[in-house]
Amino acid sequence: MKNPHENFIDVQHVSTLFPSRRRGHPPVVAVDNVSFSLPANESTLLTIVGESGSGKTTLTRNLLGLTPPTEGQVLYQGKDIYSMSHEEWHHYRRDVQPVFQDPYATYNPFYRIDRVLQVPIHKFGLANSRKEARQLIDEALEAVDLRPSDVLGRYPHQLSGGERQRIMLARIYLIRPKLIIADEPVSMIDASLRTVFLNMLHDLRDNYGISCIHITHNLATAYYLGGDMMIMCRGQVIEQGDMDTIIDQPQHPYTQMLISSVPSPDPQDRWERGHTSESATEIAELKTEANACVFAGRCSHVMPTCQSHRPELIPINAEQETACFLYDQDVKPVDDAKEMVREKVNSAGYS
Ligand SMILES: Nc1ncnc2c1ncn2[C@@H]1O[C@H](COP(=O)(O)OP(=O)(O)OP(=O)(O)O)[C@@H](O)[C@H]1O
Ligand code: SF4
Ligand SMILES: [Mg+2]
């Protein structure tokens, strides 16, 4: 196993439970034993995809230090982010920057846009004079295709959603973190501006080595960004690997369902249709068996083993891992079926 210090971020067996909103129901397992790493010396684009309620935002909050996991650890250069010193935390907050879904909600409506860019300059000591600060702000705005004279001095409500989201990227450009964590960053901006925004994530990686964890429920947006992909189903990672490989040859029945439920050739349309109508709470609370496959309740290939064991991620090829017993050599569906019949006969009292 790799020494964790070789990695920039290590998510180790993170689980996050919330008390159920329904009386007498067991806790909701929002994130279920998730592990992954981002290497220190290469820039990565990782998209986490899943339906509503699959735990994407909770995992994001675990990573940003906003919601401590119930179990497991998030390590930054080998240190648990939830037990860092004040100084280490300051470094982490500079290295790891969020971009949220609704740019308007992240702005204070009473302050001009300028403040969003001035605060990090002050907080992280990026400039030595007012003049230098202004130069940095102009450069950052131009880097995201905004004219300083068009946006400076204005209030958040006077800008479009796309402009507000671009200001967030200008902020990222100023701070130059090592990692952006973007939770549904384009879901509230016009389709025409989505690609502009996603292209900027590419530019930040290619030109400044800034990695990105991109969270979305939209397969088309995920596919456009490219890179690596992690598919979450009810808190668990059920398939992961190279984006193109997974989209071309999805192995897990859940991934196959997600892809087949977006039949339109229009990529933006495909994305929206991938969203299920079940409520987030319903999906999460369907799961009651900790030792069953998280997709067993909806899987057309379900075998008896799936109801009593939890599949782990296993490599399918060099580019892809899947958590499904269909690919486990040790599981023999025929034997399982015989076992199921035997159990039914026993429970009916014939033996
Ligand atoms: N603070 C909370 N208290 C109780 N339950 C919560 C809380 N936050 C999230 N949950 C539950 O945890 C599960 C995962 O929620 P989460 O918001 O992480 O999903 P998501 O994948 O981001 O969904 P969406 O695509 O709708 O944003 C859901 O069942 C949700 O209701
Ligand atoms: S483990 Fe079983 S229930 Fe789960 S996805 Fe695979 S075949 Fe379906
Ligand atoms: Mg979310």
Side-chain angles (χ1 to χ4, degrees), residues 57-78:
T57 294
T58 307
L59 181 60
T60 310
R61 292 178 60 84
N62 292 150
L63 277 160
L64 288 169
L66 300 172
T67 302
T70 315
E71 280 174 39
Q73 289 185 314
V74 178
L75 306 182
Y76 159 64
Q77 296 175 339

Side-chain angles (χ1 to χ4, degrees), residues 52-53 55-58 60 101 183-184 215:
S52 186
K56 306 180 297 296
T57 294
T58 307
T60 310
Q101 177 175 24
D183 188 359
E184 305 272 8
I215 283 92

Side-chain angles (χ1 to χ4, degrees), residues 23 25-27 52 74 117 199 284 304 327 331 341:
R23 256 184 164 205
H25 279 245
S52 186
V74 178
L117 303 171
N199 288 343
Y327 307 96
V331 174
V341 171

Side-chain angles (χ1 to χ4, degrees), residues 18-19 21 28 30 51-58 184 275 280-281 284:
F18 294 113
R21 293 184 180 121
V28 172
E51 294 168 299
S52 186
S54 56
K56 306 180 297 296
T57 294
T58 307
E184 305 272 8
H275 224 168
T281 308

